[in-house]
Amino acid sequence: LSPALAAGSTVTALFFYKGIPNEGVYAGTTSTSGLTYTATLSESYQAREWFPVKQILRDKIDSADIWIKTSAFNKVGSNGRLVAVVDSPNSKKQYQWKSKHPMNYYMPSFAVGNYLQYVNYAKPLAMAPDSILVLHYLADDDTYFLSVKTNIDKTPAFIEKFSELFGLYPFADEKYGHSQANIGGGMEHQTMTTTSSFGSTLIAHELGHQWFGDNVTCATWNDIWLNEGFASYSEYLAIEKLPALFPTTNPASYMQGVHNNVLSQPGGSVYVPNASIFDENRIFSGRLSYNKGSAIIHNLRFEIQDDNLFFQTLKNYQQQFKDSVATVEDFKLVAETTSGKDFSDFFNQWYYGEGFPTFNVTYIKQGIDSIILVLNQTTSSAVTPFFKGLYEFTITSPLGDTTVKAYMTTNNQLFKFHFNNTANGIIVDPNNWVLNATGTITNGGVIPVKLLTFEVAADPKCNALVKWKSVNELDTRQYDLEYSLDGITFIKAGTVISNNLITESNYQFSYGLGSTTVHFFRLKMIDKDGGYSYSQVISLTKKCNGSFSLIINPNPVTENLHISITQPSMSNTTISIFASTGELIYKDDRLLTEGANYIKLDVMKKFSAGTYLIRVINGNSIINKKFIKL
């Protein structure tokens, strides 16, 4: 500035905007009610269209004076308190609104129209005997007013109930209200929502925003869940806590509708990635930010298993970050501190992750008073391969149902419950606490064996000692240990019979090693009904150099198989040939002399071209080699 101002001087800066905004301002006439309106909606990036603004979520203004001059037959709704209506020349009136609460940049608003004024008062217990003004500006048409009055009159009850659940309405010293304008839905302008209609859940949603979005605002658009997820869950809470105001709406059915929308597509996270923070369709995704956002709050409430702690979490969050902003990590810390639980897995799966689980359940009656549930889940998105957490299951029976809870940490998990009756079905998540789908429900099917460990090591005598531990073996008949030279073609090395226990069983099998350097093993776990599954493949690097050897020449083989077997002494030797499928196709026991034994086998003439395995066993020594038949 010239001349320069002295340090400590007070400066007032006036900015003047003039013109017609391209976005953020709506105007029109509703023919059915005769409402003519002009109104603003600045979320998320339109505030700059109609007033000078720094569009940074973390920087809330501390107060606002909004003065609007209009024709005398209009009224003006805005933020805060209406401090004066001043007569102006040419039959104009100036409405002077003032807000003294911090407010985010997209919250300042006005709505002008030929409105009817209607007033209620809310009386939360926390501020008795005082009350909160509830001011409504809506279409000045008797027929329309009577059609929406019942819903509008629910607003005080909503304010009173939410004040119990979230803490006292944050702007109780100013007001709450509605200004009607056709903006396509509702917008939670601080202290006075702009709305196109007056549906009960829409009123509850925009009111919920006064806590979640207005008092505490998301610090970045990545975490819009902190605004929209909680406002959407406010709809559910209004239905649950005030059933007399929703006589035809069942809370469980309402939540099922929320779930159905989320389950309509397999992927998508509630968290908005950086690449999408300027994409308003993604920020305000009805399926993800609103419905999935609401559903996972309901799930978090179930995980806490204490409604007092859940709602105390919401109150602590409101108090700790009032008049400010927060991130999802801030909310997570409040939830963990209040409840004493760790929600790292929960947020990684449900908030940052994608998709949902589909449950497959096997139930088996054990004895006269117990039932076993074997729980598995598949997921709709590879981004989140498993949803660890608490789930409910209802065991149905002609003599009465029983609902149980199970905390899943892995697939093939087995849970045993006391149950005297005969079950005839399982209902997964009967109260719609968790986003999920139901796959197969199997009565008395095979309990999948669970392999805890599977390992191999070489002993001093050059044998492979294979060990494994398993549980859930009630329906497991046997384990076939299979061996391979290349990790692709396997042959059976031996069989171990299952202990058929639910609890942990330990097994081992010794297998002689030959001169090959790398050896591969796997388990074929065979059920009593003939079904089977494979373990992962493990390997052992060990070369046993002795006087027992096998040479194939030539390899590949054309017709006859020529082999040379060298052994330290005269003894019986078994020669076996296996197809690539593991099928034994030739076996011969021979008495061979000390030293080299040259053998021609013409059995290969009748076999087709492909890869084969020859195994030679002499005492405890075993040699396996692969060859090709042309």
Side-chain angles (χ1 to χ4, degrees):
L1 297 177
S2 179
L5 297 177
S9 299
T10 298
V11 178
T12 299
L14 299 179
F15 296 85
F16 296 91
Y17 263 31
K18 182 179 181 180
I20 300 174
N22 293 319
E23 297 180 81
V25 179
Y26 296 76
T29 298
T30 303
S31 58
T32 56
S33 64
L35 174 63
T36 298
Y37 60 86
T38 300
T40 61
L41 192 163
S42 304
E43 189 181 23
S44 50
Y45 299 108
Q46 287 76 49
R48 62 180 185 173
E49 292 287 331
W50 65 278
F51 71 95
V53 60
K54 181 169 64 173
Q55 296 195 136
I56 297 175
L57 289 166
R58 292 180 179 271
D59 186 24
K60 289 191 174 184
I61 60 176
D62 67 352
S63 59
D65 289 271
I66 301 175
W67 295 2
I68 303 291
K69 187 185 293 184
T70 183
S71 301
F73 56 80
N74 287 330
K75 292 181 175 62
V76 179
S78 188
N79 313 96
R81 296 177 63 91
L82 182 60
V83 296
V85 179
V86 180
D87 290 331
S88 296
N90 302 317
S91 299
K92 304 285 187 180
K93 288 185 180 291
Q94 185 184 70
Y95 282 74
Q96 298 180 359
W97 288 90
K98 185 176 188 66
S99 175
K100 294 183 177 180
H101 287 271
M103 182 162 42
N104 223 302
Y105 72 77
Y106 63 85
M107 287 299 171
S109 70
F110 67 82
V112 180
N114 55 335
Y115 290 129
L116 164 71
Q117 176 178 306
Y118 180 61
V119 172
N120 298 121
Y121 291 91
K123 300 179 180 180
L125 291 175
M127 59 182 297
D130 291 339
S131 58
I132 300 169
L133 171 67
V134 186
L135 175 65
H136 313 278
Y137 287 157
L138 67 158
D140 190 4
D141 178 85
D142 289 344
T143 301
Y144 180 77
F145 174 70
L146 291 174
S147 72
V148 298
K149 181 179 181 299
T150 299
N151 286 347
I152 290 176
D153 287 343
K154 296 176 184 178
T155 309
F158 291 166
I159 294 174
E160 292 159 6
K161 180 54 66 175
F162 289 174
S163 292
E164 291 177 22
L165 300 178
F166 310 148
L168 180 63
Y169 173 67
F171 315 108
D173 60 332
E174 293 188 345
K175 72 166 186 320
Y176 185 62
H178 299 101
S179 295
Q180 188 176 5
N182 188 14
I183 59 170
M187 176 60 209
E188 64 274 12
H189 295 127
Q190 193 160 303
T191 75
M192 197 164 202
T193 288
T194 306
T195 184
S196 59
S197 60
F198 294 94
S200 297
T201 54
L202 179 60
I203 293 173
H205 180 105
E206 304 306 336
L207 174 62
H209 269 306
Q210 301 301 306
W211 286 265
F212 299 96
D214 295 12
N215 184 42
V216 183
T217 310
C218 59
T220 70
W221 294 110
N222 308 95
D223 291 333
I224 187 63
W225 172 71
L226 293 170
N227 296 16
E228 298 300 346
F230 283 89
S232 297
Y233 194 57
S234 297
E235 301 175 34
Y236 175 85
L237 289 174
I239 295 169
E240 176 194 346
K241 300 295 184 179
L242 298 169
L245 301 184
F246 296 89
T248 62
T249 305
N250 176 271
S253 299
Y254 187 84
M255 185 55 68
Q256 184 62 64
V258 171
H259 285 191
N260 289 344
N261 176 257
V262 180
L263 301 178
S264 65
Q265 297 181 42
S269 68
V270 178
Y271 174 79
V272 179
N274 287 332
S276 299
I277 60 172
F278 296 106
D279 179 358
E280 290 188 322
N281 289 328
R282 175 58 188 88
I283 292 174
F284 302 109
S285 166
R287 189 177 76 88
L288 298 173
S289 298
Y290 290 69
N291 285 331
K292 190 172 184 181
S294 172
I296 69 172
I297 296 167
H298 196 51
N299 190 352
L300 180 66
R301 180 180 173 185
F302 180 64
E303 284 280 339
I304 291 177
Q305 285 288 292
D306 186 325
D307 264 8
N308 290 330
L309 289 178
F310 172 74
F311 288 109
Q312 189 61 51
T313 295
L314 304 189
K315 292 175 182 176
N316 290 348
Y317 171 71
Q318 287 293 314
Q319 184 60 38
Q320 186 171 339
F321 296 97
K322 65 178 294 186
D323 298 330
S324 186
V325 298
T327 67
V328 73
E329 295 301 322
D330 292 327
F331 176 80
K332 173 177 174 286
L333 182 58
V334 173
E336 290 177 333
T337 303
T338 305
S339 68
K341 295 176 180 286
D342 182 353
F343 292 117
S344 298
D345 289 328
F346 182 90
F347 280 89
N348 288 337
Q349 294 163 182
W350 291 110
Y351 183 74
Y352 296 108
E354 297 189 25
F356 53 87
T358 294
F359 282 92
N360 301 297
V361 182
T362 297
Y363 62 99
I364 296 177
K365 181 72 172 177
Q366 188 180 50
I368 61 172
D369 63 352
S370 297
I371 190 169
I372 294 171
L373 301 186
V374 184
L375 305 180
N376 281 276
Q377 57 173 256
T378 58
T379 63
S380 63
S381 171
V383 173
T384 307
F386 188 82
F387 287 87
K388 177 182 177 181
L390 186 66
Y391 300 96
E392 272 188 344
F393 302 89
T394 293
I395 307 165
T396 62
S397 167
L399 299 179
D401 300 342
T402 299
T403 298
V404 297
K405 296 183 180 75
Y407 194 88
M408 284 189 70
T409 58
T410 184
N411 269 327
N412 290 328
Q413 199 164 356
L414 182 149
F415 296 88
K416 184 177 180 180
F417 300 99
H418 180 76
F419 189 73
N420 286 322
N421 302 327
T422 300
N424 60 8
I426 303 292
I427 300 173
V428 178
D429 188 34
N431 296 303
N432 291 324
W433 283 111
V434 185
L435 278 168
N436 71 89
T438 301
T440 60
I441 305 294
T442 305
N443 182 3
V446 173
I447 298 179
V449 64
K450 179 178 180 181
L451 200 61
L452 298 178
T453 62
F454 181 42
E455 57 194 17
V456 61
D459 68 12
K461 295 183 179 180
C462 219
N463 295 312
L465 186 61
V466 184
K467 297 180 179 180
W468 65 96
K469 296 179 182 179
S470 56
V471 293
N472 302 353
E473 298 180 319
L474 284 181
D475 289 289
T476 304
R477 184 177 68 207
Q478 67 190 55
Y479 299 91
D480 284 354
L481 181 67
E482 297 186 345
Y483 172 81
S484 173
L485 293 170
D486 56 9
I488 299 173
T489 303
F490 284 85
I491 61 170
K492 185 168 78 170
T495 296
V496 177
I497 302 301
S498 168
N499 291 333
N500 298 131
L501 298 177
I502 293 179
T503 54
E504 182 178 306
S505 290
N506 293 274
Y507 301 94
Q508 68 179 43
F509 188 90
S510 180
Y511 186 75
L513 299 175
S515 58
T516 305
T517 302
V518 183
H519 313 266
F520 300 90
F521 297 90
R522 73 181 183 189
L523 283 176
K524 183 178 183 181
M525 299 169 284
I526 304 174
D527 300 325
K528 292 177 181 178
D529 64 0
Y532 61 87
S533 61
Y534 286 105
S535 70
Q536 84 262 29
V537 176
I538 58 175
S539 64
L540 173 66
T541 301
K542 178 72 174 179
K543 186 172 183 178
C544 296
N545 296 316
S547 56
F548 182 55
S549 64
L550 169 67
I551 298 173
I552 303 172
N553 188 31
N555 188 6
V557 176
T558 53
E559 291 186 358
N560 297 323
L561 177 62
H562 296 268
I563 61 175
S564 173
I565 300 173
T566 301
Q567 54 187 46
S569 62
M570 178 182 293
S571 60
N572 288 317
T573 301
T574 301
I575 302 169
S576 304
I577 299 175
F578 299 86
S580 59
T581 61
E583 178 187 2
L584 177 65
I585 59 174
Y586 173 82
K587 185 176 182 180
D588 184 19
D589 292 315
R590 298 189 179 208
L591 179 64
L592 299 183
T593 63
E594 179 183 350
N597 296 266
Y598 299 96
I599 302 169
K600 181 177 76 170
L601 301 175
D602 59 2
V603 295
M604 296 307 297
K605 292 180 180 180
K606 57 184 177 183
F607 295 112
S608 59
T611 300
Y612 294 85
L613 186 90
I614 183 170
R615 174 196 286 176
V616 179
I617 301 176
N618 178 263
N620 291 326
S621 299
I622 302 174
I623 300 175
N624 293 281
K625 285 196 175 183
K626 184 169 64 174
F627 66 91
I628 297 173
K629 167 69 165 47
L630 297 177

mmCIF file with all atom_site columns, all heavy atoms in Angstrom, residues 414-426:
data_model
loop_
_atom_site.group_PDB
_atom_site.id
_atom_site.type_symbol
_atom_site.label_atom_id
_atom_site.label_alt_id
_atom_site.label_comp_id
_atom_site.label_asym_id
_atom_site.label_entity_id
_atom_site.label_seq_id
_atom_site.pdbx_PDB_ins_code
_atom_site.Cartn_x
_atom_site.Cartn_y
_atom_site.Cartn_z
_atom_site.occupancy
_atom_site.B_iso_or_equiv
_atom_site.pdbx_formal_charge
_atom_site.auth_seq_id
_atom_site.auth_comp_id
_atom_site.auth_asym_id
_atom_site.auth_atom_id
_atom_site.pdbx_PDB_model_num
ATOM 1   N N   . LEU A 1 414 ? -14.783 -72.717 12.539 1.00 0.00 ? 414 LEU A N   1
ATOM 2   C CA  . LEU A 1 414 ? -15.802 -73.563 13.139 1.00 0.00 ? 414 LEU A CA  1
ATOM 3   C C   . LEU A 1 414 ? -16.211 -72.991 14.488 1.00 0.00 ? 414 LEU A C   1
ATOM 4   O O   . LEU A 1 414 ? -15.363 -72.638 15.309 1.00 0.00 ? 414 LEU A O   1
ATOM 5   C CB  . LEU A 1 414 ? -15.253 -74.979 13.295 1.00 0.00 ? 414 LEU A CB  1
ATOM 6   C CG  . LEU A 1 414 ? -16.163 -76.067 13.860 1.00 0.00 ? 414 LEU A CG  1
ATOM 7   C CD1 . LEU A 1 414 ? -15.781 -77.405 13.243 1.00 0.00 ? 414 LEU A CD1 1
ATOM 8   C CD2 . LEU A 1 414 ? -16.008 -76.158 15.379 1.00 0.00 ? 414 LEU A CD2 1
ATOM 9   N N   . PHE A 1 415 ? -17.536 -72.893 14.720 1.00 0.00 ? 415 PHE A N   1
ATOM 10  C CA  . PHE A 1 415 ? -18.070 -72.399 15.982 1.00 0.00 ? 415 PHE A CA  1
ATOM 11  C C   . PHE A 1 415 ? -19.068 -73.413 16.524 1.00 0.00 ? 415 PHE A C   1
ATOM 12  O O   . PHE A 1 415 ? -19.907 -73.930 15.784 1.00 0.00 ? 415 PHE A O   1
ATOM 13  C CB  . PHE A 1 415 ? -18.767 -71.048 15.790 1.00 0.00 ? 415 PHE A CB  1
ATOM 14  C CG  . PHE A 1 415 ? -17.844 -69.942 15.343 1.00 0.00 ? 415 PHE A CG  1
ATOM 15  C CD1 . PHE A 1 415 ? -17.606 -69.717 13.997 1.00 0.00 ? 415 PHE A CD1 1
ATOM 16  C CD2 . PHE A 1 415 ? -17.206 -69.148 16.283 1.00 0.00 ? 415 PHE A CD2 1
ATOM 17  C CE1 . PHE A 1 415 ? -16.760 -68.711 13.584 1.00 0.00 ? 415 PHE A CE1 1
ATOM 18  C CE2 . PHE A 1 415 ? -16.352 -68.128 15.881 1.00 0.00 ? 415 PHE A CE2 1
ATOM 19  C CZ  . PHE A 1 415 ? -16.121 -67.909 14.527 1.00 0.00 ? 415 PHE A CZ  1
ATOM 20  N N   . LYS A 1 416 ? -18.971 -73.682 17.807 1.00 0.00 ? 416 LYS A N   1
ATOM 21  C CA  . LYS A 1 416 ? -19.854 -74.655 18.451 1.00 0.00 ? 416 LYS A CA  1
ATOM 22  C C   . LYS A 1 416 ? -20.737 -73.933 19.462 1.00 0.00 ? 416 LYS A C   1
ATOM 23  O O   . LYS A 1 416 ? -20.249 -73.146 20.275 1.00 0.00 ? 416 LYS A O   1
ATOM 24  C CB  . LYS A 1 416 ? -19.020 -75.735 19.146 1.00 0.00 ? 416 LYS A CB  1
ATOM 25  C CG  . LYS A 1 416 ? -19.840 -76.864 19.773 1.00 0.00 ? 416 LYS A CG  1
ATOM 26  C CD  . LYS A 1 416 ? -18.910 -77.913 20.364 1.00 0.00 ? 416 LYS A CD  1
ATOM 27  C CE  . LYS A 1 416 ? -19.690 -79.059 21.001 1.00 0.00 ? 416 LYS A CE  1
ATOM 28  N NZ  . LYS A 1 416 ? -18.796 -80.081 21.573 1.00 0.00 ? 416 LYS A NZ  1
ATOM 29  N N   . PHE A 1 417 ? -22.057 -74.199 19.382 1.00 0.00 ? 417 PHE A N   1
ATOM 30  C CA  . PHE A 1 417 ? -23.015 -73.541 20.255 1.00 0.00 ? 417 PHE A CA  1
ATOM 31  C C   . PHE A 1 417 ? -23.903 -74.578 20.941 1.00 0.00 ? 417 PHE A C   1
ATOM 32  O O   . PHE A 1 417 ? -24.178 -75.646 20.378 1.00 0.00 ? 417 PHE A O   1
ATOM 33  C CB  . PHE A 1 417 ? -23.902 -72.573 19.467 1.00 0.00 ? 417 PHE A CB  1
ATOM 34  C CG  . PHE A 1 417 ? -23.147 -71.481 18.779 1.00 0.00 ? 417 PHE A CG  1
ATOM 35  C CD1 . PHE A 1 417 ? -22.839 -71.559 17.432 1.00 0.00 ? 417 PHE A CD1 1
ATOM 36  C CD2 . PHE A 1 417 ? -22.732 -70.350 19.485 1.00 0.00 ? 417 PHE A CD2 1
ATOM 37  C CE1 . PHE A 1 417 ? -22.135 -70.554 16.787 1.00 0.00 ? 417 PHE A CE1 1
ATOM 38  C CE2 . PHE A 1 417 ? -22.032 -69.335 18.854 1.00 0.00 ? 417 PHE A CE2 1
ATOM 39  C CZ  . PHE A 1 417 ? -21.735 -69.441 17.509 1.00 0.00 ? 417 PHE A CZ  1
ATOM 40  N N   . HIS A 1 418 ? -24.373 -74.221 22.128 1.00 0.00 ? 418 HIS A N   1
ATOM 41  C CA  . HIS A 1 418 ? -25.366 -75.045 22.810 1.00 0.00 ? 418 HIS A CA  1
ATOM 42  C C   . HIS A 1 418 ? -26.700 -74.897 22.081 1.00 0.00 ? 418 HIS A C   1
ATOM 43  O O   . HIS A 1 418 ? -27.197 -73.791 21.875 1.00 0.00 ? 418 HIS A O   1
ATOM 44  C CB  . HIS A 1 418 ? -25.515 -74.594 24.262 1.00 0.00 ? 418 HIS A CB  1
ATOM 45  C CG  . HIS A 1 418 ? -26.522 -75.389 25.033 1.00 0.00 ? 418 HIS A CG  1
ATOM 46  N ND1 . HIS A 1 418 ? -26.261 -76.656 25.496 1.00 0.00 ? 418 HIS A ND1 1
ATOM 47  C CD2 . HIS A 1 418 ? -27.792 -75.094 25.409 1.00 0.00 ? 418 HIS A CD2 1
ATOM 48  C CE1 . HIS A 1 418 ? -27.326 -77.111 26.131 1.00 0.00 ? 418 HIS A CE1 1
ATOM 49  N NE2 . HIS A 1 418 ? -28.279 -76.177 26.085 1.00 0.00 ? 418 HIS A NE2 1
ATOM 50  N N   . PHE A 1 419 ? -27.300 -76.030 21.673 1.00 0.00 ? 419 PHE A N   1
ATOM 51  C CA  . PHE A 1 419 ? -28.552 -75.999 20.918 1.00 0.00 ? 419 PHE A CA  1
ATOM 52  C C   . PHE A 1 419 ? -29.245 -77.342 21.092 1.00 0.00 ? 419 PHE A C   1
ATOM 53  O O   . PHE A 1 419 ? -28.774 -78.373 20.599 1.00 0.00 ? 419 PHE A O   1
ATOM 54  C CB  . PHE A 1 419 ? -28.258 -75.724 19.431 1.00 0.00 ? 419 PHE A CB  1
ATOM 55  C CG  . PHE A 1 419 ? -29.488 -75.459 18.608 1.00 0.00 ? 419 PHE A CG  1
ATOM 56  C CD1 . PHE A 1 419 ? -30.175 -74.270 18.728 1.00 0.00 ? 419 PHE A CD1 1
ATOM 57  C CD2 . PHE A 1 419 ? -29.941 -76.410 17.706 1.00 0.00 ? 419 PHE A CD2 1
ATOM 58  C CE1 . PHE A 1 419 ? -31.302 -74.009 17.963 1.00 0.00 ? 419 PHE A CE1 1
ATOM 59  C CE2 . PHE A 1 419 ? -31.074 -76.168 16.935 1.00 0.00 ? 419 PHE A CE2 1
ATOM 60  C CZ  . PHE A 1 419 ? -31.750 -74.964 17.064 1.00 0.00 ? 419 PHE A CZ  1
ATOM 61  N N   . ASN A 1 420 ? -30.378 -77.345 21.803 1.00 0.00 ? 420 ASN A N   1
ATOM 62  C CA  . ASN A 1 420 ? -31.073 -78.594 22.118 1.00 0.00 ? 420 ASN A CA  1
ATOM 63  C C   . ASN A 1 420 ? -31.979 -79.094 20.998 1.00 0.00 ? 420 ASN A C   1
ATOM 64  O O   . ASN A 1 420 ? -32.324 -80.274 20.960 1.00 0.00 ? 420 ASN A O   1
ATOM 65  C CB  . ASN A 1 420 ? -31.917 -78.423 23.386 1.00 0.00 ? 420 ASN A CB  1
ATOM 66  C CG  . ASN A 1 420 ? -31.055 -78.386 24.642 1.00 0.00 ? 420 ASN A CG  1
ATOM 67  O OD1 . ASN A 1 420 ? -30.075 -79.116 24.732 1.00 0.00 ? 420 ASN A OD1 1
ATOM 68  N ND2 . ASN A 1 420 ? -31.410 -77.530 25.580 1.00 0.00 ? 420 ASN A ND2 1
ATOM 69  N N   . ASN A 1 421 ? -32.408 -78.207 20.113 1.00 0.00 ? 421 ASN A N   1
ATOM 70  C CA  . ASN A 1 421 ? -33.400 -78.558 19.103 1.00 0.00 ? 421 ASN A CA  1
ATOM 71  C C   . ASN A 1 421 ? -32.751 -79.085 17.833 1.00 0.00 ? 421 ASN A C   1
ATOM 72  O O   . ASN A 1 421 ? -31.529 -79.114 17.701 1.00 0.00 ? 421 ASN A O   1
ATOM 73  C CB  . ASN A 1 421 ? -34.270 -77.342 18.786 1.00 0.00 ? 421 ASN A CB  1
ATOM 74  C CG  . ASN A 1 421 ? -34.968 -76.815 20.016 1.00 0.00 ? 421 ASN A CG  1
ATOM 75  O OD1 . ASN A 1 421 ? -35.326 -77.591 20.901 1.00 0.00 ? 421 ASN A OD1 1
ATOM 76  N ND2 . ASN A 1 421 ? -35.158 -75.508 20.095 1.00 0.00 ? 421 ASN A ND2 1
ATOM 77  N N   . THR A 1 422 ? -33.574 -79.465 16.884 1.00 0.00 ? 422 THR A N   1
ATOM 78  C CA  . THR A 1 422 ? -33.106 -79.896 15.571 1.00 0.00 ? 422 THR A CA  1
ATOM 79  C C   . THR A 1 422 ? -33.217 -78.728 14.607 1.00 0.00 ? 422 THR A C   1
ATOM 80  O O   . THR A 1 422 ? -34.312 -78.209 14.364 1.00 0.00 ? 422 THR A O   1
ATOM 81  C CB  . THR A 1 422 ? -33.934 -81.084 15.044 1.00 0.00 ? 422 THR A CB  1
ATOM 82  O OG1 . THR A 1 422 ? -33.807 -82.176 15.965 1.00 0.00 ? 422 THR A OG1 1
ATOM 83  C CG2 . THR A 1 422 ? -33.463 -81.507 13.675 1.00 0.00 ? 422 THR A CG2 1
ATOM 84  N N   . ALA A 1 423 ? -32.095 -78.296 14.074 1.00 0.00 ? 423 ALA A N   1
ATOM 85  C CA  . ALA A 1 423 ? -32.081 -77.134 13.177 1.00 0.00 ? 423 ALA A CA  1
ATOM 86  C C   . ALA A 1 423 ? -32.623 -77.505 11.806 1.00 0.00 ? 423 ALA A C   1
ATOM 87  O O   . ALA A 1 423 ? -32.424 -78.617 11.316 1.00 0.00 ? 423 ALA A O   1
ATOM 88  C CB  . ALA A 1 423 ? -30.662 -76.597 13.053 1.00 0.00 ? 423 ALA A CB  1
ATOM 89  N N   . ASN A 1 424 ? -33.314 -76.541 11.179 1.00 0.00 ? 424 ASN A N   1
ATOM 90  C CA  . ASN A 1 424 ? -33.742 -76.745 9.796  1.00 0.00 ? 424 ASN A CA  1
ATOM 91  C C   . ASN A 1 424 ? -33.318 -75.606 8.879  1.00 0.00 ? 424 ASN A C   1
ATOM 92  O O   . ASN A 1 424 ? -33.768 -75.506 7.742  1.00 0.00 ? 424 ASN A O   1
ATOM 93  C CB  . ASN A 1 424 ? -35.262 -76.947 9.709  1.00 0.00 ? 424 ASN A CB  1
ATOM 94  C CG  . ASN A 1 424 ? -36.030 -75.748 10.246 1.00 0.00 ? 424 ASN A CG  1
ATOM 95  O OD1 . ASN A 1 424 ? -35.457 -74.706 10.555 1.00 0.00 ? 424 ASN A OD1 1
ATOM 96  N ND2 . ASN A 1 424 ? -37.343 -75.901 10.362 1.00 0.00 ? 424 ASN A ND2 1
ATOM 97  N N   . GLY A 1 425 ? -32.440 -74.723 9.375  1.00 0.00 ? 425 GLY A N   1
ATOM 98  C CA  . GLY A 1 425 ? -31.937 -73.663 8.521  1.00 0.00 ? 425 GLY A CA  1
ATOM 99  C C   . GLY A 1 425 ? -31.118 -72.650 9.291  1.00 0.00 ? 425 GLY A C   1
ATOM 100 O O   . GLY A 1 425 ? -31.102 -72.642 10.533 1.00 0.00 ? 425 GLY A O   1
ATOM 101 N N   . ILE A 1 426 ? -30.412 -71.795 8.555  1.00 0.00 ? 426 ILE A N   1
ATOM 102 C CA  . ILE A 1 426 ? -29.601 -70.720 9.131  1.00 0.00 ? 426 ILE A CA  1
ATOM 103 C C   . ILE A 1 426 ? -29.953 -69.430 8.400  1.00 0.00 ? 426 ILE A C   1
ATOM 104 O O   . ILE A 1 426 ? -29.987 -69.394 7.167  1.00 0.00 ? 426 ILE A O   1
ATOM 105 C CB  . ILE A 1 426 ? -28.093 -70.986 8.984  1.00 0.00 ? 426 ILE A CB  1
ATOM 106 C CG1 . ILE A 1 426 ? -27.704 -72.324 9.622  1.00 0.00 ? 426 ILE A CG1 1
ATOM 107 C CG2 . ILE A 1 426 ? -27.279 -69.837 9.586  1.00 0.00 ? 426 ILE A CG2 1
ATOM 108 C CD1 . ILE A 1 426 ? -27.817 -72.372 11.121 1.00 0.00 ? 426 ILE A CD1 1
#
